[in-house]
Amino acid sequence: MRSSTIVAALAIMLGCTALSSAQQNAQGAVELSNGTKVPQNPSLPKLNLSNPQREQIRKAVLTEHNEVEFRLAATKSAKDFTPAVGAKIPKGVKAQSLPTPVLSQMPELRDYTYVKMKDQVLIVDGMTNKIVDVFSETQPLS
């Protein structure tokens, strides 16, 4: 009788441990088989573009015909959006991959996308759709 009580207690303890582990993983980390915990919402490293890099991007996307048009039903709600670093791009606005020449010169941008909106180029974190850099599309950067 006593051994069945001990077995039941052990089963309850193991169940609680498994539940506790599952709750921790649900709160933002996945544990790999080697024990390393990886966040479920990874973010890209902070992007620090220099003005010459911005100018290279500006020139590369200048000839691309993908400026956001606010007369389209999907983007009409974005008309009042003011682009700013840290803001999420509006629903209906689709970011584009950066041109191949830019990515060959700056491979660190492979996980970033861009949007041309309101005469500005927005560099967007491809994982979160948050704007990480904004600069003029029409004015050369010195």
Side-chain angles (χ1 to χ4, degrees):
M1 187 74 151
R2 185 177 173 154
S3 64
S4 62
T5 305
I6 293 173
V7 170
L10 285 174
I12 291 171
M13 287 173 44
L14 287 174
C16 290
T17 303
L19 181 60
S20 173
S21 176
Q23 287 173 338
Q24 286 175 350
N25 285 343
Q27 292 176 349
V30 175
E31 190 168 338
L32 301 177
S33 59
N34 66 2
T36 306
K37 289 190 178 183
V38 180
Q40 288 183 0
N41 51 354
S43 60
L44 296 173
K46 185 172 174 157
L47 186 64
N48 290 312
L49 293 174
S50 66
N51 277 346
Q53 289 173 316
R54 288 183 183 105
E55 181 62 14
Q56 183 179 355
I57 295 168
R58 187 190 73 79
K59 285 180 179 176
V61 302
L62 192 59
T63 58
E64 301 286 325
H65 299 290
N66 55 6
E67 180 87 21
V68 173
E69 295 182 31
F70 299 110
R71 66 175 186 254
L72 302 174
T75 55
K76 199 173 271 189
S77 63
K79 187 175 185 178
D80 295 328
F81 176 73
T82 303
V85 171
K88 267 190 156 180
I89 59 172
K91 291 184 193 270
V93 174
K94 300 290 182 215
Q96 308 292 316
S97 295
L98 287 156
T100 304
V102 170
L103 294 177
S104 66
Q105 293 293 315
M106 295 178 267
E108 66 273 16
L109 294 176
R110 71 184 175 281
D111 294 322
Y112 293 91
T113 55
Y114 80 98
V115 175
K116 291 189 333 184
M117 175 189 275
K118 299 183 178 182
D119 294 327
Q120 295 181 313
V121 177
L122 317 178
I123 305 298
V124 179
D125 179 325
M127 293 182 189
T128 63
N129 280 338
K130 286 188 178 181
I131 300 168
V132 296
D133 203 346
V134 178
F135 50 90
S136 174
E137 175 190 1
T138 57
Q139 299 297 315
L141 300 162
S142 50

